[in-house]
C-alpha cells in the first residue's frame, strides 16, 4: 500500500508522505501554457486536459498523492446555482441565495454521476495514467464553505449575508445546508465509484464561525456526509482559520484532520487524540523563503509530528501562484529525505 494511504490509516511508513494543496495551478509554467488556450472551467470540463494537469505534479515534484483537477464550485451548477469565474475577482455567483424562496429553487438531488460526469471521466483517465502506487484524492467543498459562496455571491470577509440567514431564518439555513450536503455526499460517493482512493472535504472558510455556531449550524450536516462514505476510503476533513473548531471537526468526522499553519501540529494532534491522522501544516508563504529557511521550517513541522504514524505533510493551505516550481520540488525532496526511517 502507498505511504499516503498507510499514513491515513495511521500505519508506519518508510517516510512521511507529502502532497500539496493546489499542486496543479498557476505556479507551474505548463499549467499557465494550457490556461492560455482554455478557460479554467473548460479545463475542468475536459477530462484529457484535467488528467494531464492532475498527473503533472506527480512527475514534476514527486509528491505521494494526486488530487483530481476540479473545483469546489462545480457542484453549484447542477444545484441550479449558476457561477462564473471573472478574470480578476475570482468566482461570482449569478443568482446569490438570500431568502427562503431562493433556497426552495435549489435542486434537492443532483445525480452527480450524470450531472458531473466529466469529473468521473477525469478520475478514470487520471487513474489510467498515474503510476499504480500513487493514490488519487477526490474532493468536494464542505456545506458551510459552499453556502458562503452561494449566499454572499463570491468570496467574503465577514460573511454578513451568510450569518444573517443562519441567525434570522434557521429553517431556510437548514434547508439549504441539507440540499448542499445531499449533493456533496452524492458527489463524493460518485468520485469513489469512479476510482478515487481517498476524498477530502474542504471547509476553507468555516473558521469564520465560533465553536458553538459550528456545532449548531454546521456539524450535523458535515457528520451526515462522512457517515455516507464507505468506511474503507480515507476521508480528510480540512478547515482553516479557527483552531478552536478542530475538536468539533474531528467529532463531525474524517479519518484525517487537515490543519492550517496557525497552530503547532504536535500540540493540536495531542489535543485531538491519537485515534485520528493529521495533515499539514507548513505556512504556504514559507515557499517564498530561501531554501535553507524553507528546510528549517519544514523540519519544525516534521519535528512537531515526532515521526508518529499518521502524519501527512502538506501546506496549511494552497500554494500561491507566486511560488517557483523549484522551491516546491525542494520541499518535497527535503520532507522525503529528512523523514526517511
Ligand atoms: O489542489 C489541486 O491541485 C486540485 C484542484 C483544486 C482547485 N480548486 C483548482 C483551482 C482544488 C482542490 C480547489 C479547491 C477550491 N476551490 C477551494 C478550497 C481550497 C482552498 O483554496 O481554500 C476553494 C475555496 C475554491 C474556490 C476557488 N477556485 C476560488 C476562490 C478560486 C479563485 C481564486 C484563485 O486561486 O484563483 C478558484 C480558482 C481555481 N481553482 C484555480 C485553480 C487551479 C485557479 C484558476 C485559474 O487557472 O485561473
Amino acid at each position: 500500500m502507498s505511504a499516503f494511504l498507510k499514513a491515513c490509516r495511521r500505519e508506519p511508513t518508510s517516510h512521511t508522505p507529502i502532497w500539496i494543496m493546489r499542486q496543479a495551478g498557476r505556479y507551474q509554467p505548463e499549467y499557465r501554457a494550457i490556461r492560455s488556450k482554455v478557460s479554467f472551467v473548460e479545463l475542468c470540463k475536459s477530462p484529457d486536459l484535467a488528467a494531464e494537469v492532475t498527473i503533472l505534479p506527480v512527475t514534476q515534484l514527486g509528491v505521494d498523492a494526486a488530487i483530481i483537477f476540479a473545483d469546489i464550485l462545480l457542484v453549484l451548477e447542477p444545484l441550479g446555482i449558476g457561477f462564473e469565474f471573472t478574470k480578476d475577482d475570482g468566482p461570482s455567483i449569478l443568482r446569490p441565495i438570500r431568502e427562503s424562496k431562493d433556497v426552495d429553487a435549489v435542486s434537492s438531488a443532483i445525480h452527480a454521476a450524470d450531472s458531473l460526469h466529466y469529473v468521473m471521466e477525469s478520475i478514470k483517465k487520471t487513474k489510467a495514467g498515474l503510476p499504480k502506487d500513487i493514490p488519487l484524492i477526490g474532493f468536494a467543498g464542505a456545506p458551510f464553505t459552499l453556502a458562503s459562496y452561494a449566499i454572499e455571491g463570491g468570496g467574503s470577509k465577514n460573511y454578513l449575508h451568510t450569518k444573517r440567514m443562519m441567525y434570522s431564518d434557521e429553517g431556510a439555513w437548514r434547508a439549504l445546508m441539507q440540499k448542499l450536503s445531499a449533493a456533496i455526499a452524492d458527489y463524493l460517493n460518485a468520485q469513489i465509484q469512479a476510482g478515487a482512493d481517498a476524498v477530502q472535504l474542504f471547509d476553507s472558510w468555516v473558521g469564520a464561525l465560533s465553536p458553538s455556531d459550528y456545532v449548531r449550524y454546521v456539524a450535523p450536516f458535515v457528520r451526515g456526509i462522512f457517515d455516507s462514505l464507505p468506511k474503507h476510503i480515507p476521508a480528510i476533513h480540512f478547515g482553516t482559520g479557527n483552531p478552536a473548531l478542530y475538536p468539533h471537526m474531528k467529532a463531525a468526522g474524517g479519518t484525517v484532520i487537515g490543519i492550517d499553519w496557525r497552530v503547532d501540529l504536535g500540540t493540536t494532534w495531542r489535543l485531538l487524540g491519537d485515534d485520528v491522522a493529521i495533515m499539514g501544516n507548513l505556512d504556504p508563504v514559507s515557499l517564498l523563503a530561501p531554501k535553507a529557511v524553507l528546510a528549517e521550517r519544514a523540519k519544525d513541522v516534521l519535528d512537531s509530528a515526532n515521526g508518529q504514524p499518521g502524519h501527512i505533510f502538506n501546506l496549511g493551505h494552497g500554494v500561491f501562484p507566486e511560488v517557483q516550481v523549484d522551491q516546491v520540488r525542494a520541499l518535497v525532496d527535503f520532507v522525503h529525505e529528512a523523514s526517511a526511517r
Side-chain angles (χ1 to χ4, degrees):
M1 194 188 287
S2 70
F4 169 78
L5 289 174
K6 276 188 187 162
C8 289
R9 298 180 162 97
R10 287 176 284 112
E11 292 168 16
T13 52
S14 57
H15 64 271
T16 300
I18 171 172
W19 69 278
I20 309 280
M21 286 186 275
R22 291 279 180 100
Q23 63 191 19
R26 286 161 298 181
Y27 76 99
Q28 297 166 299
E30 298 86 347
Y31 177 87
R32 294 196 296 270
I34 292 173
R35 277 281 285 105
S36 68
K37 296 188 208 104
V38 296
S39 73
F40 173 61
V41 174
E42 277 163 355
L43 176 50
C44 292
K45 292 185 175 180
S46 310
D48 285 314
L49 288 177
E52 183 183 335
V53 300
T54 301
I55 294 168
L56 180 64
V58 174
T59 39
Q60 188 174 58
L61 307 172
V63 287
D64 294 275
I67 180 162
I68 195 64
F69 192 83
D71 197 85
I72 63 164
L73 300 177
L74 297 173
V75 73
L76 296 182
E77 200 169 74
L79 279 164
I81 310 168
F83 75 92
E84 60 185 23
F85 275 93
T86 54
K87 272 243 160 345
D88 306 309
D89 308 324
S92 162
I93 305 306
L94 304 179
R95 295 171 295 279
I97 291 172
R98 292 288 160 81
E99 33 186 313
S100 71
K101 72 164 176 30
D102 303 330
V103 175
D104 292 342
V106 174
S107 307
S108 23
I110 62 161
H111 309 290
D114 297 326
S115 60
L116 294 161
H117 73 274
Y118 57 89
V119 177
M120 313 312 151
E121 279 305 304
S122 302
I123 289 175
K124 288 176 190 158
K125 292 211 148 113
T126 301
K127 285 291 287 181
L130 269 181
K132 287 284 155 288
D133 59 337
I134 300 295
L136 178 63
I137 305 167
F139 73 89
F144 176 82
T145 291
L146 283 179
S148 79
Y149 280 109
I151 297 170
E152 301 296 332
S156 178
K157 191 159 184 274
N158 294 316
Y159 304 93
L160 300 184
H161 295 292
T162 308
K163 292 185 181 184
R164 179 175 17 219
M165 184 190 286
M166 235 166 67
Y167 300 146
S168 55
D169 192 347
E170 191 167 350
W173 170 260
R174 288 186 175 276
L176 177 62
M177 289 294 274
Q178 189 49 50
K179 284 179 169 178
L180 293 174
S181 303
I184 293 160
D186 175 7
Y187 184 31
L188 288 175
N189 277 287
Q191 292 181 56
I192 292 167
Q193 283 284 315
D197 302 291
V199 291
Q200 175 158 331
L201 194 68
F202 282 92
D203 220 346
S204 304
W205 311 136
V206 76
L209 295 180
S210 69
S212 62
D213 281 353
Y214 180 81
V215 167
R216 173 166 172 172
Y217 297 105
V218 175
F221 301 98
V222 171
R223 191 171 296 119
I225 293 168
F226 283 111
D227 285 349
S228 82
L229 301 175
K231 295 293 157 267
H232 67 285
I233 297 288
I236 306 166
H237 190 179
F238 169 74
T240 81
N242 183 358
L245 297 185
Y246 291 138
H248 301 291
M249 285 173 53
K250 181 197 170 195
T255 329
V256 183
I257 303 298
I259 62 174
D260 73 19
W261 66 94
R262 295 171 179 91
V263 288
D264 176 69
L265 184 137
T267 311
T268 306
W269 202 358
R270 280 189 293 278
L271 182 79
L272 293 177
D274 57 13
D275 57 345
V276 75
I278 200 129
M279 184 180 86
N281 74 336
L282 185 69
D283 184 335
V285 182
S286 308
L287 287 164
L288 294 175
K291 286 202 175 57
V293 178
L294 170 62
E296 218 172 275
R297 298 176 63 90
K299 183 166 187 309
D300 285 346
V301 173
L302 288 172
D303 287 348
S304 189
N306 199 24
Q308 190 179 320
H311 176 216
I312 295 147
F313 200 107
N314 206 319
L315 305 178
H317 208 159
V319 56
F320 292 110
E322 291 80 359
V323 165
Q324 296 292 316
V325 170
D326 180 47
Q327 289 282 98
V328 189
R329 193 168 32 218
L331 171 65
V332 173
D333 288 345
F334 176 80
V335 168
H336 283 160
E337 284 157 24
S339 69
R341 41 193 169 248

